[in-house]
Each structure stands twice: as C-alpha cells, then as structure tokens.
PDB file of all heavy atoms in Angstrom:
ATOM      1  N   VAL A   1     119.330  55.343 102.410  1.00  0.00           N
ATOM      2  CA  VAL A   1     118.927  54.992 103.773  1.00  0.00           C
ATOM      3  C   VAL A   1     117.514  54.413 103.789  1.00  0.00           C
ATOM      4  O   VAL A   1     117.248  53.375 104.412  1.00  0.00           O
ATOM      5  CB  VAL A   1     119.014  56.216 104.710  1.00  0.00           C
ATOM      6  CG1 VAL A   1     118.431  55.891 106.083  1.00  0.00           C
ATOM      7  CG2 VAL A   1     120.463  56.687 104.849  1.00  0.00           C
ATOM      8  N   LEU A   2     116.607  55.060 103.087  1.00  0.00           N
ATOM      9  CA  LEU A   2     115.212  54.615 103.081  1.00  0.00           C
ATOM     10  C   LEU A   2     115.051  53.261 102.396  1.00  0.00           C
ATOM     11  O   LEU A   2     114.264  52.417 102.840  1.00  0.00           O
ATOM     12  CB  LEU A   2     114.328  55.665 102.403  1.00  0.00           C
ATOM     13  CG  LEU A   2     114.193  56.992 103.161  1.00  0.00           C
ATOM     14  CD1 LEU A   2     113.453  58.026 102.320  1.00  0.00           C
ATOM     15  CD2 LEU A   2     113.473  56.777 104.497  1.00  0.00           C
ATOM     16  N   MET A   3     115.804  53.028 101.319  1.00  0.00           N
ATOM     17  CA  MET A   3     115.730  51.735 100.646  1.00  0.00           C
ATOM     18  C   MET A   3     116.347  50.646 101.513  1.00  0.00           C
ATOM     19  O   MET A   3     115.865  49.503 101.541  1.00  0.00           O
ATOM     20  CB  MET A   3     116.413  51.806  99.275  1.00  0.00           C
ATOM     21  CG  MET A   3     115.666  52.671  98.268  1.00  0.00           C
ATOM     22  SD  MET A   3     116.329  52.592  96.590  1.00  0.00           S
ATOM     23  CE  MET A   3     115.820  50.966  96.079  1.00  0.00           C
ATOM     24  N   LEU A   4     117.429  50.984 102.221  1.00  0.00           N
ATOM     25  CA  LEU A   4     118.037  50.031 103.145  1.00  0.00           C
ATOM     26  C   LEU A   4     117.034  49.610 104.217  1.00  0.00           C
ATOM     27  O   LEU A   4     116.894  48.428 104.541  1.00  0.00           O
ATOM     28  CB  LEU A   4     119.273  50.659 103.792  1.00  0.00           C
ATOM     29  CG  LEU A   4     120.084  49.768 104.737  1.00  0.00           C
ATOM     30  CD1 LEU A   4     120.759  48.648 103.968  1.00  0.00           C
ATOM     31  CD2 LEU A   4     121.124  50.594 105.488  1.00  0.00           C
ATOM     32  N   LYS A   5     116.305  50.584 104.751  1.00  0.00           N
ATOM     33  CA  LYS A   5     115.307  50.312 105.790  1.00  0.00           C
ATOM     34  C   LYS A   5     114.085  49.579 105.226  1.00  0.00           C
ATOM     35  O   LYS A   5     113.405  48.850 105.945  1.00  0.00           O
ATOM     36  CB  LYS A   5     114.850  51.627 106.432  1.00  0.00           C
ATOM     37  CG  LYS A   5     115.922  52.345 107.243  1.00  0.00           C
ATOM     38  CD  LYS A   5     116.164  51.647 108.559  1.00  0.00           C
ATOM     39  CE  LYS A   5     117.051  52.460 109.477  1.00  0.00           C
ATOM     40  NZ  LYS A   5     117.245  51.773 110.781  1.00  0.00           N
ATOM     41  N   SER A   6     113.808  49.770 103.926  1.00  0.00           N
ATOM     42  CA  SER A   6     112.593  49.190 103.337  1.00  0.00           C
ATOM     43  C   SER A   6     112.725  47.703 103.035  1.00  0.00           C
ATOM     44  O   SER A   6     111.727  47.008 102.867  1.00  0.00           O
ATOM     45  CB  SER A   6     112.238  49.931 102.041  1.00  0.00           C
ATOM     46  OG  SER A   6     113.133  49.558 101.000  1.00  0.00           O
ATOM     47  N   GLY A   7     113.971  47.221 102.924  1.00  0.00           N
ATOM     48  CA  GLY A   7     114.185  45.824 102.553  1.00  0.00           C
ATOM     49  C   GLY A   7     114.641  45.643 101.130  1.00  0.00           C
ATOM     50  O   GLY A   7     115.181  44.598 100.769  1.00  0.00           O
ATOM     51  N   VAL A   8     114.432  46.652 100.279  1.00  0.00           N
ATOM     52  CA  VAL A   8     114.978  46.623  98.911  1.00  0.00           C
ATOM     53  C   VAL A   8     116.481  46.834  99.016  1.00  0.00           C
ATOM     54  O   VAL A   8     116.941  47.659  99.803  1.00  0.00           O
ATOM     55  CB  VAL A   8     114.355  47.732  98.040  1.00  0.00           C
ATOM     56  CG1 VAL A   8     115.004  47.760  96.659  1.00  0.00           C
ATOM     57  CG2 VAL A   8     112.858  47.512  97.909  1.00  0.00           C
ATOM     58  N   HIS A   9     117.250  46.072  98.223  1.00  0.00           N
ATOM     59  CA  HIS A   9     118.696  46.185  98.416  1.00  0.00           C
ATOM     60  C   HIS A   9     119.178  47.603  98.137  1.00  0.00           C
ATOM     61  O   HIS A   9     118.906  48.177  97.085  1.00  0.00           O
ATOM     62  CB  HIS A   9     119.469  45.187  97.553  1.00  0.00           C
ATOM     63  CG  HIS A   9     120.833  44.932  98.106  1.00  0.00           C
ATOM     64  ND1 HIS A   9     121.909  45.711  97.801  1.00  0.00           N
ATOM     65  CD2 HIS A   9     121.265  44.038  99.023  1.00  0.00           C
ATOM     66  CE1 HIS A   9     122.965  45.285  98.469  1.00  0.00           C
ATOM     67  NE2 HIS A   9     122.601  44.275  99.217  1.00  0.00           N
ATOM     68  N   ALA A  10     119.909  48.160  99.097  1.00  0.00           N
ATOM     69  CA  ALA A  10     120.224  49.587  99.093  1.00  0.00           C
ATOM     70  C   ALA A  10     121.119  50.009  97.936  1.00  0.00           C
ATOM     71  O   ALA A  10     121.103  51.178  97.533  1.00  0.00           O
ATOM     72  CB  ALA A  10     120.872  49.975 100.419  1.00  0.00           C
ATOM     73  N   THR A  11     121.928  49.093  97.396  1.00  0.00           N
ATOM     74  CA  THR A  11     122.815  49.476  96.298  1.00  0.00           C
ATOM     75  C   THR A  11     122.034  49.934  95.070  1.00  0.00           C
ATOM     76  O   THR A  11     122.566  50.681  94.239  1.00  0.00           O
ATOM     77  CB  THR A  11     123.722  48.297  95.906  1.00  0.00           C
ATOM     78  OG1 THR A  11     122.916  47.138  95.693  1.00  0.00           O
ATOM     79  CG2 THR A  11     124.744  48.005  96.988  1.00  0.00           C
ATOM     80  N   LEU A  12     120.782  49.505  94.955  1.00  0.00           N
ATOM     81  CA  LEU A  12     119.961  49.937  93.825  1.00  0.00           C
ATOM     82  C   LEU A  12     119.710  51.442  93.856  1.00  0.00           C
ATOM     83  O   LEU A  12     119.430  52.049  92.821  1.00  0.00           O
ATOM     84  CB  LEU A  12     118.629  49.183  93.818  1.00  0.00           C
ATOM     85  CG  LEU A  12     118.722  47.663  93.653  1.00  0.00           C
ATOM     86  CD1 LEU A  12     117.352  47.030  93.749  1.00  0.00           C
ATOM     87  CD2 LEU A  12     119.391  47.308  92.338  1.00  0.00           C
ATOM     88  N   ALA A  13     119.810  52.040  95.047  1.00  0.00           N
ATOM     89  CA  ALA A  13     119.667  53.494  95.151  1.00  0.00           C
ATOM     90  C   ALA A  13     120.746  54.195  94.331  1.00  0.00           C
ATOM     91  O   ALA A  13     120.517  55.287  93.798  1.00  0.00           O
ATOM     92  CB  ALA A  13     119.741  53.941  96.607  1.00  0.00           C
ATOM     93  N   GLY A  14     121.920  53.580  94.218  1.00  0.00           N
ATOM     94  CA  GLY A  14     122.989  54.157  93.412  1.00  0.00           C
ATOM     95  C   GLY A  14     122.610  54.237  91.955  1.00  0.00           C
ATOM     96  O   GLY A  14     122.836  55.252  91.286  1.00  0.00           O
ATOM     97  N   VAL A  15     122.006  53.160  91.426  1.00  0.00           N
ATOM     98  CA  VAL A  15     121.589  53.139  90.022  1.00  0.00           C
ATOM     99  C   VAL A  15     120.481  54.156  89.775  1.00  0.00           C
ATOM    100  O   VAL A  15     120.506  54.905  88.792  1.00  0.00           O
ATOM    101  CB  VAL A  15     121.109  51.727  89.630  1.00  0.00           C
ATOM    102  CG1 VAL A  15     120.656  51.699  88.172  1.00  0.00           C
ATOM    103  CG2 VAL A  15     122.215  50.708  89.855  1.00  0.00           C
ATOM    104  N   ILE A  16     119.499  54.188  90.680  1.00  0.00           N
ATOM    105  CA  ILE A  16     118.373  55.114  90.527  1.00  0.00           C
ATOM    106  C   ILE A  16     118.861  56.560  90.551  1.00  0.00           C
ATOM    107  O   ILE A  16     118.436  57.388  89.727  1.00  0.00           O
ATOM    108  CB  ILE A  16     117.332  54.873  91.643  1.00  0.00           C
ATOM    109  CG1 ILE A  16     116.704  53.485  91.475  1.00  0.00           C
ATOM    110  CG2 ILE A  16     116.251  55.955  91.614  1.00  0.00           C
ATOM    111  CD1 ILE A  16     115.855  53.066  92.649  1.00  0.00           C
ATOM    112  N   THR A  17     119.762  56.878  91.474  1.00  0.00           N
ATOM    113  CA  THR A  17     120.308  58.242  91.556  1.00  0.00           C
ATOM    114  C   THR A  17     121.055  58.603  90.283  1.00  0.00           C
ATOM    115  O   THR A  17     120.934  59.726  89.766  1.00  0.00           O
ATOM    116  CB  THR A  17     121.245  58.371  92.769  1.00  0.00           C
ATOM    117  OG1 THR A  17     120.534  58.023  93.960  1.00  0.00           O
ATOM    118  CG2 THR A  17     121.775  59.797  92.903  1.00  0.00           C
ATOM    119  N   ALA A  18     121.818  57.643  89.747  1.00  0.00           N
ATOM    120  CA  ALA A  18     122.580  57.897  88.516  1.00  0.00           C
ATOM    121  C   ALA A  18     121.664  58.271  87.363  1.00  0.00           C
ATOM    122  O   ALA A  18     121.978  59.160  86.560  1.00  0.00           O
ATOM    123  CB  ALA A  18     123.416  56.669  88.167  1.00  0.00           C
ATOM    124  N   PHE A  19     120.514  57.618  87.261  1.00  0.00           N
ATOM    125  CA  PHE A  19     119.587  57.901  86.167  1.00  0.00           C
ATOM    126  C   PHE A  19     118.882  59.247  86.351  1.00  0.00           C
ATOM    127  O   PHE A  19     118.220  59.726  85.431  1.00  0.00           O
ATOM    128  CB  PHE A  19     118.571  56.768  86.020  1.00  0.00           C
ATOM    129  CG  PHE A  19     119.044  55.669  85.117  1.00  0.00           C
ATOM    130  CD1 PHE A  19     119.944  54.720  85.579  1.00  0.00           C
ATOM    131  CD2 PHE A  19     118.628  55.592  83.808  1.00  0.00           C
ATOM    132  CE1 PHE A  19     120.403  53.711  84.749  1.00  0.00           C
ATOM    133  CE2 PHE A  19     119.077  54.593  82.963  1.00  0.00           C
ATOM    134  CZ  PHE A  19     119.980  53.642  83.431  1.00  0.00           C
ATOM    135  N   CYS A  20     119.041  59.853  87.524  1.00  0.00           N
ATOM    136  CA  CYS A  20     118.494  61.193  87.762  1.00  0.00           C
ATOM    137  C   CYS A  20     119.527  62.290  87.512  1.00  0.00           C
ATOM    138  O   CYS A  20     119.237  63.477  87.692  1.00  0.00           O
ATOM    139  CB  CYS A  20     117.968  61.301  89.199  1.00  0.00           C
ATOM    140  SG  CYS A  20     116.537  60.248  89.541  1.00  0.00           S
ATOM    141  N   ILE A  21     120.725  61.906  87.100  1.00  0.00           N
ATOM    142  CA  ILE A  21     121.767  62.881  86.748  1.00  0.00           C
ATOM    143  C   ILE A  21     121.596  63.246  85.280  1.00  0.00           C
ATOM    144  O   ILE A  21     121.650  62.376  84.405  1.00  0.00           O
ATOM    145  CB  ILE A  21     123.182  62.305  86.989  1.00  0.00           C
ATOM    146  CG1 ILE A  21     123.356  61.880  88.452  1.00  0.00           C
ATOM    147  CG2 ILE A  21     124.238  63.321  86.598  1.00  0.00           C
ATOM    148  CD1 ILE A  21     123.251  62.988  89.451  1.00  0.00           C
ATOM    149  N   PRO A  22     121.375  64.527  84.954  1.00  0.00           N
ATOM    150  CA  PRO A  22     121.136  64.906  83.544  1.00  0.00           C
ATOM    151  C   PRO A  22     122.395  64.806  82.695  1.00  0.00           C
ATOM    152  O   PRO A  22     123.507  65.039  83.186  1.00  0.00           O
ATOM    153  CB  PRO A  22     120.656  66.353  83.659  1.00  0.00           C
ATOM    154  CG  PRO A  22     121.218  66.856  84.946  1.00  0.00           C
ATOM    155  CD  PRO A  22     121.277  65.678  85.873  1.00  0.00           C
ATOM    156  N   LEU A  23     122.200  64.455  81.430  1.00  0.00           N
ATOM    157  CA  LEU A  23     123.332  64.433  80.496  1.00  0.00           C
ATOM    158  C   LEU A  23     123.851  65.839  80.263  1.00  0.00           C
ATOM    159  O   LEU A  23     125.066  66.065  80.203  1.00  0.00           O
ATOM    160  CB  LEU A  23     122.909  63.790  79.172  1.00  0.00           C
ATOM    161  CG  LEU A  23     123.996  63.667  78.107  1.00  0.00           C
ATOM    162  CD1 LEU A  23     125.129  62.768  78.582  1.00  0.00           C
ATOM    163  CD2 LEU A  23     123.405  63.138  76.800  1.00  0.00           C
ATOM    164  N   THR A  24     122.929  66.809  80.135  1.00  0.00           N
ATOM    165  CA  THR A  24     123.312  68.212  79.992  1.00  0.00           C
ATOM    166  C   THR A  24     122.445  69.059  80.914  1.00  0.00           C
ATOM    167  O   THR A  24     121.269  68.759  81.119  1.00  0.00           O
ATOM    168  CB  THR A  24     123.136  68.703  78.537  1.00  0.00           C
ATOM    169  OG1 THR A  24     121.792  68.463  78.119  1.00  0.00           O
ATOM    170  CG2 THR A  24     124.095  67.983  77.604  1.00  0.00           C
ATOM    171  N   ASP A  25     123.042  70.138  81.462  1.00  0.00           N
ATOM    172  CA  ASP A  25     122.276  71.034  82.322  1.00  0.00           C
ATOM    173  C   ASP A  25     121.898  72.304  81.553  1.00  0.00           C
ATOM    174  O   ASP A  25     122.092  72.389  80.338  1.00  0.00           O
ATOM    175  CB  ASP A  25     123.067  71.378  83.595  1.00  0.00           C
ATOM    176  CG  ASP A  25     124.412  72.041  83.294  1.00  0.00           C
ATOM    177  OD1 ASP A  25     124.551  72.635  82.205  1.00  0.00           O
ATOM    178  OD2 ASP A  25     125.319  71.976  84.139  1.00  0.00           O
ATOM    179  N   ARG A  26     121.361  73.281  82.259  1.00  0.00           N
ATOM    180  CA  ARG A  26     120.899  74.517  81.599  1.00  0.00           C
ATOM    181  C   ARG A  26     122.025  75.269  80.909  1.00  0.00           C
ATOM    182  O   ARG A  26     121.811  75.993  79.941  1.00  0.00           O
ATOM    183  CB  ARG A  26     120.231  75.439  82.634  1.00  0.00           C
ATOM    184  CG  ARG A  26     118.874  74.947  83.108  1.00  0.00           C
ATOM    185  CD  ARG A  26     118.148  76.041  83.869  1.00  0.00           C
ATOM    186  NE  ARG A  26     118.883  76.474  85.042  1.00  0.00           N
ATOM    187  CZ  ARG A  26     118.609  76.074  86.275  1.00  0.00           C
ATOM    188  NH1 ARG A  26     117.617  75.233  86.498  1.00  0.00           N
ATOM    189  NH2 ARG A  26     119.318  76.529  87.302  1.00  0.00           N
ATOM    190  N   SER A  27     123.248  75.109  81.414  1.00  0.00           N
ATOM    191  CA  SER A  27     124.376  75.846  80.832  1.00  0.00           C
ATOM    192  C   SER A  27     125.022  75.106  79.671  1.00  0.00           C
ATOM    193  O   SER A  27     125.983  75.588  79.068  1.00  0.00           O
ATOM    194  CB  SER A  27     125.432  76.100  81.915  1.00  0.00           C
ATOM    195  OG  SER A  27     125.975  74.873  82.381  1.00  0.00           O
TER     196      SER A  27
END
C-alpha cells in the first residue's frame, strides 16, 4: 500500500517481501 502511494511500482513490494522470508526458521 505504501509503495503504491509513493509512486514506486507496487509489485516490487512482492519481491522485497519475498527476500524477507527466511530459508530456515528457528525450528
């Protein structure tokens, strides 16, 4: 939502979020 409002193309938020998903978690 914030990227959409900022003028940066909002679909890039999908890529950024994906890179914040860990390959492995604590378990």
